[in-house]
Amino acid sequence: MGKRILALTAAALLVITLCAGCGNGGIFGRNNTKSREGEPEAVDFGGHEFVVVDFNGGRWNRNNNGTPYDDAWQYLLDNVEEKFNCTIKFHNEKADEMKNSALPEIMAGDKYADILCATQWEFGKLIGADLMADLNILSTDWNNRWWNQNLREIATLQGKTFAANGSFIFDAAQTWLFYVNLDVWHDLQLPDPYELVENGEWTIDRLMEFSKKALLDMDGNGTVDTVDDRWGIAAPDGDFARALYMSGGNHYFIEKNGKLQMDCQGAGTFDFVEKMRKMNKDDKSVAKNSFFTGEGVDGVARRAQMFMDGRCLFLGGMPGMGALRDMDADWCVVPMPKASVEQESYMSGVDHNASVFGVTKTNADLDKVGILLDALGFYGLDLEDIYWPDYEETYWRHPQDAQIVADYVCHSGQYDMALLMQNVKDVFRSPMSLVFDTMFGGVNDFSSSVEMRKDQVNIALDKFFEDLTRDQAFSGNE
């Protein structure tokens, strides 16, 4: 009961803490002059209908209501439609079917959608099929504070921007962090986790040290090798490897002289990936993925249960682990670790299931769409402020957790074109595969493996973007 009271107290403080740290300044019903800066001038679209295609049925849906977040979305849509005399029609499409759904319509010259929202891994297929417009031809001001500049930077090549993200599909809810079982933490007599983070000392070296220290043979067979033992970390291996790699400031692809090239190079990156390898293969601190796979197995639920039962110190994932609402043991959150204390700030990976959006190249109403996007961006600034308190039972056990998320998780998520392009051509998946296989597979010499593959990847990248520039369509994994 004491923990539940603490959780409710933290939730009350959270409304103040996160609105100050994570949000962008409210818009709706607030007398805040600064928050009105950049408000788009209302334009009469004469009842024009805009079509939004999105895999996430929770957005744009007029039937969702009753929570502060759903109500804010409803207000956003009503407000934009009223101010601009238009209607916004929502069409729900499964993420893995978007390309096949869009391709015939766009090839026939139809627009398919005014705004198309997809996962990162699906959006690359749309780019690869040459279905998306250069976002810079729109009237939208992409420098505005409601657009995600991390994504804009990596998605802009030779002056063309291929994908965007902003306030109305903010990424903080898909930015990785660690949950910490504090009962295990205190049993190991580890230092205060909040002080480690705030002092800039939460690094991959500490993650390795603490994870190894947490290992405990609990089933009495003499070794830590079953789901009943205590492990350092439980996390879905592929998503975890991507997020951890990017938390150290590492990249898969990088732009050089206007060209996209394979990165995964440099002493700092080699050292970081070697630590990832050592943590799993030598220290054996990461719970085996085989514990959480198989027909009818809910891996997410199993990992959460392992964490709740004190059989791992860290649970890797994204904000919003609902199962932890009723966890008896105490827990907290920390960001993904830095590469070293010298790293300027905490970073993390934005999960490849996170949303990005674009505009189809056959859209004949680009002037209207550009104006609409800035309107959605501006009036969507309140959404993130409202989102976090709307999940008060999970966010968080302690007031400090709210501050950790606000200061070190929100807007720290890093993007990489590799996540968008992984399903365009198999060769583009090579950088991520090498990192993953070094940590979990058969690669032991990462630097040599990168050297062997980089020319092949770079040649494929050059050809792809040269062909794309000439508007020669690709059709997926050819």
Side-chain angles (χ1 to χ4, degrees), residues 264 270 434 443-454:
C264 296
F270 294 156
L434 289 177
V443 174
N444 290 313
D445 188 340
F446 179 70
S447 61
S448 296
S449 298
V450 169
E451 188 65 27
M452 289 174 59
R453 295 302 301 274
K454 69 176 183 179

Side-chain angles (χ1 to χ4, degrees), residues 51-56 59-60 89-94 98 101-102 112-118 356-358:
V51 177
V52 176
V53 175
D54 195 338
F55 71 96
N56 186 336
R59 296 189 286 250
W60 319 100
K89 180 181 178 181
F90 166 59
H91 174 66
N92 193 201
E93 184 67 77
K94 292 181 179 179
M98 277 195 175
S101 176
Y112 181 68
D114 291 291
I115 303 172
L116 196 162
C117 302
V356 296
F357 74 82

Side-chain angles (χ1 to χ4, degrees), residues 9-318:
T9 303
L13 292 172
L14 168 66
V15 177
I16 299 173
T17 304
L18 273 181
C19 282
C22 228
N24 300 281
I27 300 300
F28 301 129
R30 300 183 188 180
N31 185 20
N32 185 335
T33 302
K34 183 178 180 180
S35 72
R36 312 299 301 191
E37 291 179 2
E39 181 174 11
E41 182 179 351
V43 175
D44 187 349
F45 285 144
H48 183 82
E49 180 182 270
F50 293 96
V51 177
V52 176
V53 175
D54 195 338
F55 71 96
N56 186 336
R59 296 189 286 250
W60 319 100
N61 195 331
R62 308 289 182 149
N63 296 321
N64 291 343
N65 55 64
T67 70
Y69 183 65
D70 290 335
D71 290 346
W73 255 104
Q74 185 71 51
Y75 187 90
L76 165 64
L77 295 174
D78 290 346
N79 191 38
V80 171
E81 288 182 337
E82 179 182 354
K83 286 180 179 293
F84 291 83
N85 187 18
C86 65
T87 58
I88 299 173
K89 180 181 178 181
F90 166 59
H91 174 66
N92 193 201
E93 184 67 77
K94 292 181 179 179
D96 58 358
E97 296 178 1
M98 277 195 175
K99 178 196 156 187
N100 292 336
S101 176
L103 184 63
E105 288 196 35
I106 296 174
M107 290 297 99
D110 298 328
K111 70 177 181 181
Y112 181 68
D114 291 291
I115 303 172
L116 196 162
C117 302
T119 59
Q120 290 195 71
W121 54 264
E122 178 66 18
F123 199 85
K125 297 179 186 178
L126 301 166
I127 297 173
D130 193 23
L131 304 181
M132 308 309 295
D134 169 19
L135 292 174
N136 291 324
I137 67 176
L138 277 66
S139 63
T140 307
D141 183 354
W142 298 109
N143 292 312
N144 274 320
R145 68 188 191 276
W146 46 84
W147 301 125
N148 186 308
Q149 299 304 320
N150 285 336
L151 175 60
R152 183 186 176 205
E153 180 179 354
I154 67 98
T156 300
L157 298 167
Q158 297 182 359
K160 295 184 177 181
T161 300
F162 293 92
N165 180 293
S167 61
F168 59 91
I169 52 170
F170 60 89
D171 65 13
Q174 286 80 41
T175 300
W176 267 64
L177 49 68
F178 277 121
Y179 297 88
V180 182
N181 186 309
L182 286 177
D183 285 11
V184 177
W185 184 278
H186 295 317
D187 180 56
L188 298 173
Q189 299 182 338
L190 300 177
D192 185 285
Y194 299 123
E195 289 185 4
L196 277 177
V197 172
E198 290 164 5
N199 293 336
E201 298 173 354
W202 174 233
T203 65
I204 190 171
D205 290 326
R206 290 299 186 104
L207 174 65
M208 294 173 67
E209 175 191 348
F210 299 163
S211 296
K212 186 175 181 179
K213 193 172 184 179
L215 297 174
L216 182 66
D217 172 27
M218 296 178 68
D219 62 8
N221 72 349
T223 186
V224 178
D225 62 352
T226 74
V227 72
D228 295 317
D229 292 321
R230 191 175 75 190
W231 298 78
I233 302 169
D237 53 6
D239 294 342
F240 174 42
R242 282 188 290 270
L244 182 59
Y245 177 77
M246 288 193 282
S247 76
N250 304 298
H251 298 280
Y252 298 108
F253 289 153
I254 190 170
E255 183 185 3
K256 291 185 178 180
N257 301 319
K259 290 187 175 183
L260 197 64
Q261 296 182 5
M262 181 174 171
D263 195 21
C264 296
Q265 299 180 65
T269 294
F270 294 156
D271 179 65
F272 194 92
V273 175
E274 171 58 21
K275 290 176 180 179
M276 293 172 63
R277 187 204 65 78
K278 185 178 187 298
M279 181 165 54
N280 181 60
K281 292 183 180 178
D282 295 349
D283 298 346
K284 295 180 171 49
S285 298
V286 184
K288 299 175 182 178
N289 200 54
S290 59
F291 297 160
F292 313 105
T293 58
E295 186 175 354
V297 173
D298 185 341
V300 175
R302 279 199 175 184
R303 288 187 186 88
Q305 194 62 54
M306 173 179 275
F307 180 75
M308 290 188 288
D309 291 343
R311 287 180 286 120
C312 63
L313 174 60
F314 297 105
L315 175 64
M318 293 172 282

Side-chain angles (χ1 to χ4, degrees), residues 370-388:
I371 295 170
L372 176 71
L373 282 170
D374 265 331
L376 291 171
F378 177 80
Y379 293 109
L381 284 172
D382 250 8
L383 291 175
E384 192 172 346
D385 284 347
I386 296 168
Y387 176 85
W388 301 102

